[in-house]
Amino acid sequence: MTAHHIKLAREDDGIAVLTIDRPEKRGAMTFAMLYAFIEKVREVTADDAVRVLIVTGSGGSFCAGTDLADLSTKPGETRGVRGEAHENDVWWPLVSCPKPVIGAIDGNAVGMGAEFSSQCDVRIITPRTRFAWNFAHRGLVPDTGAGSWLLPRIIGPSRALRLLYSGAFLEADEALAIGYANAIAEPEDLLDAARAEARRYLASSPFSIRRMKELVWKGLERDVSDHMQAHVTALSACFKSADHKEGVASFLEKRPAKFTGK
């Protein structure tokens, strides 16, 4: 079993770090690792003490994709997909997580690794980071559906299709230039840069962040009228929340807010 290669560390300040820790295989995902990854993200979702999640790799790699040796143990003719189409937290666990998710991505993010990177809210990379959606080289479509739905919305359909058709690498400098990556840090500074980004979010209301994330991601699939209905519902809930009262009080009293997420 390889599930032990997925490690979750909760830090004292409300930040959690989820690590794909299989450097000898460049973070390649087995079935056991994938299920462990999904389960750890569910733990973060349920843990009110965790405010921000950082997802990273180890040993100079993020995730080299699915472990093909493990995949070959299940013939394609009989291999099922990982879940039902409506099980969002199985396909897109990082999008389904209501907390901000920061990808701290060093080295190669290929196949499933590239898919996970698309599911992050923010991506911080290093100069040696490279992304590749190489599914066409294996006779597949993007395996979580992120490459075919999220990626075009992040970088535009033409850029996304070029990457999907060719399976070519998106290098770090181009990823930053087209807005796929948000910042570049040296490998030894990557986690510190991700933590610094996470701390920016800790000053904000968890109650409103949770609703903003849902409004943004769900807004990509709604028309304007449906989005505004959801917006009104979210705004009304915010008006009634303890976090809103605390946000106003802290401003008037000229002190840092102490949000509870309620």
Side-chain angles (χ1 to χ4, degrees), residues 25-197:
K25 293 290 187 179
R26 294 179 297 168
M29 279 271 184
T30 64
F31 291 111
M33 288 171 65
L34 175 59
Y35 298 142
F37 185 93
I38 293 168
E39 190 54 41
K40 293 298 184 185
V41 177
R42 285 172 175 164
E43 287 181 25
V44 168
T45 295
D47 187 349
D48 290 339
V50 176
R51 300 271 303 277
V52 184
L53 176 63
I54 297 170
V55 181
T56 194
S58 65
S61 291
F62 181 65
C63 173
T66 301
D67 187 326
L68 294 183
D70 192 48
L71 187 69
S72 66
T73 64
K74 298 184 179 182
E77 296 84 355
T78 59
R79 189 188 309 138
V81 294
R82 74 186 62 164
E84 299 295 330
H86 67 274
E87 294 180 292
N88 292 339
D89 70 332
V90 173
W91 293 103
W92 293 356
L94 301 178
V95 174
S96 296
C97 178
K99 323 287 177 75
V101 177
I102 300 169
I105 302 165
D106 184 25
N108 286 353
V110 177
M112 188 181 292
E115 291 282 275
F116 282 147
S117 76
S118 292
Q119 295 180 31
C120 295
D121 301 318
V122 172
R123 286 161 288 277
I124 300 176
I125 66 173
T126 75
R128 64 189 183 190
T129 299
R130 302 195 302 168
F131 305 92
W133 290 261
N134 62 341
F135 298 98
H137 296 174
R138 308 288 177 258
L140 298 171
V141 297
D143 60 359
T144 76
S148 53
W149 201 88
L150 292 172
L151 184 64
R153 287 161 172 79
I154 296 170
I155 65 172
S158 182
R159 286 194 180 108
L161 284 169
R162 189 168 183 242
L163 290 169
L164 295 176
Y165 290 161
S166 68
F169 278 103
L170 173 65
E171 304 288 346
D173 55 351
E174 186 178 0
L176 184 66
I178 67 175
Y180 190 69
N182 301 92
I184 293 184
E186 291 302 319
E188 62 272 18
D189 300 325
L190 179 61
L191 272 178
D192 285 342
R195 289 187 179 99
E197 181 72 16

